[in-house]
């Protein structure tokens, strides 16, 4: 397996140094201390700190005081996530990167190379973050959570749409548990806070006719974005959990809780199938009961009242009294006030 | 793009030499003739012939007569396929290999590297031919057709099962046109001649939540296998189109006709959707009307009378009077004579 710079710093002693610095927020840790604790020479410590800096971690070398991780509370620390996790499958292996092109691309590469189910790739920033339908997902550093989870569910590929609902419910649960926020869900894969988009999901799949090889659950959650952080030309009204809750969010804590919630939903799905997922989604649905217009490139739009989702995760739209259309994919907009 | 030995011989002048030899069945072509026709030195001709031999093509060097492609009528020649093709999309680029691991793996690699829709990989033999559910597909040289077609349909991934039916209908049409054989289709993706399996299909997909990146249509057709060619431990009764028709089949001709038929079905599907495909499949169905048992690893089996396929390609099984179950994936066996 070829390792990027960012991956190198997250294996072995560079990762241990990062953990030690993160465990000492606002207080520098001396090179001597690191060297003693990790059984490394001073030169080896220095070399690994240089690697971490090169990978983008904000480490300041303070003459005669040692090394300080600036904004340590904001850095996502894998060993802290691992210590917090209670789940069995999701998060069995966590790879944290300072910067990458796209965590989905990284995770797919790991999956192709045989990474086990539950492997997670997290990045502080993405230079080519992906949204649905080839769109871009804004991924500035120091603010949000960008992560991709490898799963290998034993279901036929037609059921893959189920999996998006697991991610969105996990985000709702984590935001409710940690911040007391009540999020709602817009079909197929948007998560809304106060009616504005605060998270996006992009699943990618490799499958044969009747079995899934792997699915990458791509999850982007706006955590500490401020209103001025958003680009002015966004296609939709956007917000962050920090704006909605008025609190600065500990990204490591949120990441761990999210992965735990996802583990719970994945476990439930495997044991009981889609029905409990569908029921939970319906309760949080922003879409159901509204008059909507669903458009999809290349197909004519459908207008009507959204009545729910079916057992495959398709949106049900009543286009005229008694006539229900099943929508497999598309963009939903409110077409004329609440129904 | 990294090219295998087999791919090298199918680009440029090695391919031209193969074509020239194939165009002269039973008659050697002199090195001087090849050299003059292709504007190459005698040494360059010799070098390319050596490359072709190394790639597995049965070329004999006859002292003072030149080069003879033995069994030329049996070699699949890409330029002959291209000359025969009438279709617009499928077969726009054809890569013929003497031997490869799996044409599906090759095609997926080409697709990842941006190969256009309609690109086809054909191999004379496969060392790791793939069947459904991780099974092996017997792929001896000189006998059959193993090909993989890259398509990039503009449909949501849930509709991918539709595409298997296009391949199976194309095989039926080609066998009917060229050999007068009346094949039948077993859900989900077997093609039967006289009730025995004569072809197998394995589609592979790379997709995002609501768009397909590409699908590889993997097609294996038993053409000139004789009864003694089949391994004794096959899971199912197998046959070949040659056994069924009593004729030796020109593999190049069959490949070209198959790709043309596939092009026609793909074109019809894009223009009119699944309904005409579903109707044609139902007419050829071996499954519909029979009492079947459908098993799928990890899920309990379903028994009942197969009544058809629905608009997603799922098998409909009447398990008790008036109660229909939709089956997305599984293996079908006849459970107790015709219903």
């Amino acid at each position: 397996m070829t390792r990027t710079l960012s991956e190198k710093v997250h294996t072995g002693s560079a990762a241990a140094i990062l953990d030690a610095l993160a465990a000492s927020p606002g207080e520098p840790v001396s090179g001597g201390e690191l060297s003693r604790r990790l059984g490394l020479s001073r030169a080896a410590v220095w070399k690994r700190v240089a690697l971490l800096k090169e990978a983008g971690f904000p480490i300041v070398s303070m003459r005669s005081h040692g090394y300080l991780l600036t904004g340590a509370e904001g850095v996502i620390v894998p060993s802290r996530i691992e210590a917090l996790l209670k789940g069995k499958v999701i998060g069995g292996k966590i790879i944290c990167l300072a910067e990458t092109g796209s965590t989905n691309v990284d995770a797919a590469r790991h999956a192709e190379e045989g990474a086990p189910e539950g492997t997670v790739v997290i990045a502080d920033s993405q230079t080519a973050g992906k949204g649905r339908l080839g769109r871009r997902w804004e991924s500035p550093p120091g603010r949000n959570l960008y992560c991709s989870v490898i799963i290998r569910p034993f279901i036929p590929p037609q059921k893959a749409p189920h999996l998006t609902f697991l991610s969105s419910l996990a985000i709702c649960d984590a935001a409710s548990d940690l911040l007391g926020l009540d999020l709602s869900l817009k079909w197929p894969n948007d998560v809304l806070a106060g009616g504005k988009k605060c998270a996006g999901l992009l699943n990618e799949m490799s499958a044969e006719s009747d079995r899934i090889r792997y699915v990458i659950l791509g999850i982007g959650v706006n955590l500490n974005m401020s209103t001025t952080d958003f680009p002015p030309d966004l296609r939709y009204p956007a917000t962050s959990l920090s704006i909605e809750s008025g609190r600065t969010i500990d990204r490591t804590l949120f990441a761990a809780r999210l992965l735990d919630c996802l583990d719970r939903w994945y476990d439930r799905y495997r044991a009981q199938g889609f029905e409990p997922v569908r029921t939970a989604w319906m309760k949080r649905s922003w879409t159901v009961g509204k008059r909507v217009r669903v458009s999809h490139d290349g197909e004519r739009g459908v207008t009507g009242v959204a009545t729910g989702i079916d057992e495959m995760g398709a949106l049900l739209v009543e286009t005229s009294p008694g006539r229900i259309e099943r929508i497999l994919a598309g963009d939903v907009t409110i077409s004329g006030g609440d129904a």
Side-chain angles (χ1 to χ4, degrees), chain A:
Chain A
M1 191 187 297
T2 46
R3 292 192 175 279
T4 63
L5 171 65
S6 287
E7 282 172 30
K8 269 187 219 147
V9 307
H10 268 292
T11 50
S13 40
I17 288 174
L18 185 67
D19 287 348
L21 298 183
S24 173
E27 272 298 318
V29 183
S30 74
E33 169 77 20
L34 290 171
S35 145
R36 201 172 51 249
R37 257 203 256 169
L38 306 173
L40 293 169
S41 70
R42 292 290 289 264
V45 167
W46 181 88
K47 198 174 143 197
R48 281 162 182 81
V49 168
L51 209 63
L52 286 164
K53 285 183 182 180
E54 199 189 336
F57 289 97
I59 298 173
V60 178
S61 303
M62 303 174 72
R63 190 185 299 273
S64 81
H65 285 88
Y67 305 104
L68 176 70
L69 182 63
T70 63
E73 70 288 347
V75 172
I76 300 176
V77 182
S79 65
R80 249 190 90 207
I81 298 182
E82 281 161 11
L84 289 163
L85 280 182
K86 297 182 200 78
K88 291 171 218 138
V89 174
I90 308 298
K93 183 185 175 186
I94 297 176
I95 300 161
C96 275
L97 310 174
E99 180 184 285
T100 192
S102 150
T103 56
N104 266 26
V105 171
D106 294 337
R109 183 169 48 81
H110 285 285
E112 291 286 352
E113 289 168 346
E117 173 162 89
T119 299
V120 179
V121 177
I122 300 179
D124 186 54
S125 73
Q126 298 182 110
T127 54
K130 298 198 282 185
R132 281 175 61 217
L133 301 170
R135 294 167 193 154
R136 196 180 146 71
W137 184 258
E138 290 298 328
S139 310
R143 299 279 192 283
N144 303 324
L145 179 64
Y146 317 114
C147 75
S148 296
V149 181
I150 300 172
I151 54 173
R152 302 182 182 275
F154 197 73
I155 55 174
Q158 299 96 302
K159 290 189 177 173
H162 290 169
L163 305 169
T164 307
F165 300 105
L166 305 182
S167 304
S168 50
L169 287 169
I171 294 170
C172 290
D173 287 355
S176 169
D177 289 359
L178 293 178
L179 306 163
L181 285 175
D182 194 23
L183 306 184
S184 56
L185 298 171
K186 183 182 159 199
W187 189 89
N189 63 359
D190 285 347
V191 183
L192 307 179
K196 295 174 182 170
K197 182 160 171 169
C198 66
L201 307 170
L202 180 67
N203 291 1
E204 306 196 48
M205 165 167 63
S206 170
E208 293 177 5
S209 306
D210 39 14
R211 67 166 181 179
I212 288 177
R213 223 181 267 120
Y214 61 82
V215 170
I216 307 299
L217 302 175
I219 301 173
V221 189
N222 295 339
L223 292 180
N224 293 319
M225 294 274 266
S226 65
T227 43
T228 53
D229 283 334
F230 290 103
D233 57 344
L234 275 185
R235 310 176 62 254
Y236 47 80
T239 188
S240 72
L241 300 190
S242 168
I243 295 171
E244 298 301 316
S245 66
R247 289 159 60 178
T248 300
I249 292 155
D250 180 323
R251 294 193 293 159
T252 301
L253 202 60
F254 190 90
R257 186 60 62 103
L258 173 66
L259 295 177
D260 259 342
C261 293
L262 184 60
D263 189 85
R264 216 159 50 219
W265 276 112
Y266 188 46
D267 192 54
R268 195 173 302 164
Y269 175 65
R270 282 178 303 172
Q272 301 169 42
F274 188 54
E275 195 46 36
V277 177
R278 199 182 75 87
T279 307
W281 189 89
M282 291 284 281
K283 278 190 195 142
R284 293 206 170 264
S285 170
W286 173 91
T287 316
V288 172
K290 290 205 170 66
R291 176 160 287 276
V292 296
R293 182 177 181 79
V294 191
S295 61
H296 187 53
D297 297 327
E299 290 181 22
R300 80 194 161 72
V302 166
T303 308
V305 177
T307 60
I309 55 174
D310 72 4
E311 79 288 354
M312 297 302 283
L315 184 67
L316 302 173
V317 177
E318 189 167 25
T319 51
S320 58
R323 182 179 161 81
I324 304 281
E325 289 215 30
R326 291 179 70 225
I327 314 289
L328 295 176
D331 281 321
V332 171
T333 46
I334 291 287
S335 77
D338 293 6

